[in-house]
Amino acid sequence: MFDKIVTISLNPALDVTIWLTTMDFAEPNQAAREEIFAGGKSVNISRVMTSLGMPAKALGLCGKENAGRFLKLLEQDGVSNDFVRLEGSTRENLTIVIPDKRVLKINRAGFPVSIEGMKQLRAKVEEEIQGNGKILLVFAGSLPANLTPESYKAFLLSFRREGVCFALDNSFFHLSDIAEICPFLIKPNLLEFRQMSGSDLRTEQSIVKLARSLTAHVDHVLVSLGAKGMIYAGQDSGCRIYSPQVPVRSTVGAGDTSLAAFLCALQRGMAPCDAAVYGAAAGTASVMLDGTGIVSGKMIDSILPQMTSKGIR
């Protein structure tokens, strides 16, 4: 399907998960253990695709002050990467797991990016596009502190040409933006889908109706419903996918995992609805891991027999 898949991260992160032995607001709390991964939506997608044998090169911006640690973690995961190093530090996002297993997630804003940094990143993306066949550029994740949705969209659209497609997983685009960009794929969760539409989308029927309507501009629409599964709508098919109940250790990165696995399945020639089931199974498997640990194909295969789906109109 695609000759190359490239993920682009303007605001990556070091994802730090800390498990506490106590929860005391008067005295210091002791950490039982800590894990750290290279993260951010685009980075997670590259990590998962690489794990599943379908590498996606990771491009982006990172801070010089902790670039060594960030890039070393990516290399440990086997991810091919090429990041522009800018003044500042890559943000560290915190996930705190308290003794009763409840989770507090804290996402930091990240460092501001310079015009020169964006120019350098643009040059790297152009280098990946030129003469490499049909390319999918994955734009996922939050914005740097000083970048507006409008400037982000302009950056994205500057790569529009024959043979280049876009996949989006962002929380700030609206329906009018989607109609303008005409991406290959979008993957909002339900909250993001509501924000995108400006509607409460209170019923499953309303979610399906909107997802189906978007296929006028988008090849594949994946709406993550968390533990309740996923809705997939494509230009030729659609399905409602149900996930089994599993023990949850961390939901961080589950949506990224679903998107990555869906792309891997499409690349391997699966029919879109089957690929969506595979993606949902991957997301389900990922919540059984600590932090933003990476699922394996074996883990996904163990969940697949428990998945169910039905067609939608």
Side-chain angles (χ1 to χ4, degrees):
M1 177 172 286
F2 294 104
D3 296 297
K4 180 182 283 190
I5 297 177
V6 179
T7 70
I8 300 168
S9 182
L10 274 62
N11 197 24
L14 289 164
D15 282 336
V16 181
T17 302
I18 300 171
W19 287 263
L20 298 182
T21 57
T22 60
M23 189 61 184
D24 191 330
F25 289 96
E27 296 293 334
N29 292 281
Q30 296 298 316
R33 64 187 177 105
E34 175 180 328
E35 290 193 12
I36 184 167
F37 301 93
K41 283 182 176 291
S42 288
V43 168
N44 289 337
I45 291 163
S46 281
R47 292 172 64 228
V48 173
M49 293 191 71
T50 299
S51 172
L52 297 179
M54 195 68 64
K57 188 168 184 178
L59 303 184
L61 308 171
C62 68
K64 286 182 179 179
E65 292 179 18
N66 54 359
R69 190 179 196 187
F70 173 75
L71 296 174
K72 183 178 180 180
L73 289 168
L74 268 185
E75 289 162 7
Q76 288 174 354
D77 288 333
V79 176
S80 175
N81 66 85
D82 191 2
F83 276 73
V84 177
R85 303 187 187 197
L86 300 180
E87 294 300 327
S89 296
T90 300
R91 63 193 175 126
E92 292 192 9
N93 291 339
L94 301 178
T95 300
I96 301 172
V97 184
I98 64 177
D100 66 2
K101 305 303 181 184
R102 285 187 296 166
V103 173
L104 175 65
K105 185 81 172 78
I106 303 169
N107 281 354
R108 289 174 167 161
F111 61 89
V113 302
S114 64
I115 293 174
E116 179 58 31
M118 293 296 289
K119 287 181 179 178
Q120 291 180 47
L121 178 58
R122 178 180 169 74
K124 290 181 183 295
V125 178
E126 289 287 355
E127 185 177 342
E128 296 295 329
I129 291 174
Q130 296 298 331
N132 285 317
K134 190 175 181 181
I135 308 294
L136 180 68
L137 300 180
V138 182
F139 288 86
S142 61
L143 293 173
N146 64 327
L147 198 66
T148 65
E150 291 74 23
S151 56
Y152 183 94
K153 184 173 70 172
F155 179 75
L156 181 158
L157 288 174
S158 70
F159 301 109
R160 175 180 278 173
R161 66 203 66 179
E162 187 177 353
V164 176
C165 299
F166 304 121
L168 306 180
D169 187 2
N170 314 96
S171 61
F172 46 81
F173 284 133
H174 301 293
L175 295 183
S176 59
D177 298 312
I178 299 302
E180 182 180 356
I181 296 168
C182 293
F184 173 76
L185 178 153
I186 62 171
K187 194 223 66 64
N189 60 33
L190 183 53
L191 176 60
E192 291 165 343
F193 209 43
R194 286 170 172 158
Q195 292 171 341
M196 182 187 297
S197 67
S199 170
D200 288 342
L201 298 175
R202 293 184 180 277
T203 67
E204 191 166 296
Q205 183 180 8
S206 66
I207 301 168
V208 170
K209 183 178 179 180
L210 178 58
R212 295 290 287 169
S213 72
L214 283 173
T215 60
H217 309 290
V218 186
D219 290 1
H220 305 285
V221 179
L222 295 166
V223 184
S224 172
L225 305 177
K228 295 181 179 180
M230 180 181 288
I231 289 171
Y232 166 74
Q235 295 181 337
D236 300 315
S237 60
C239 56
R240 170 66 167 96
I241 304 164
Y242 301 90
S243 301
Q245 289 188 340
V246 297
V248 176
R249 302 181 74 165
S250 173
T251 60
V252 180
D256 312 331
T257 299
S258 291
L259 189 159
F262 176 77
L263 289 175
C264 286
L266 285 185
Q267 284 286 90
R268 294 192 171 108
M270 278 192 192
C273 274
D274 293 336
V277 172
Y278 186 82
T284 300
S286 76
V287 305
M288 301 167 66
L289 298 172
D290 287 329
T292 46
I294 310 172
V295 298
S296 65
K298 185 176 180 180
M299 288 182 64
I300 301 171
D301 290 342
S302 72
I303 295 292
L304 272 174
Q306 305 173 60
M307 306 292 295
T308 58
S309 65
K310 64 180 183 180
I312 59 173
R313 294 183 180 181

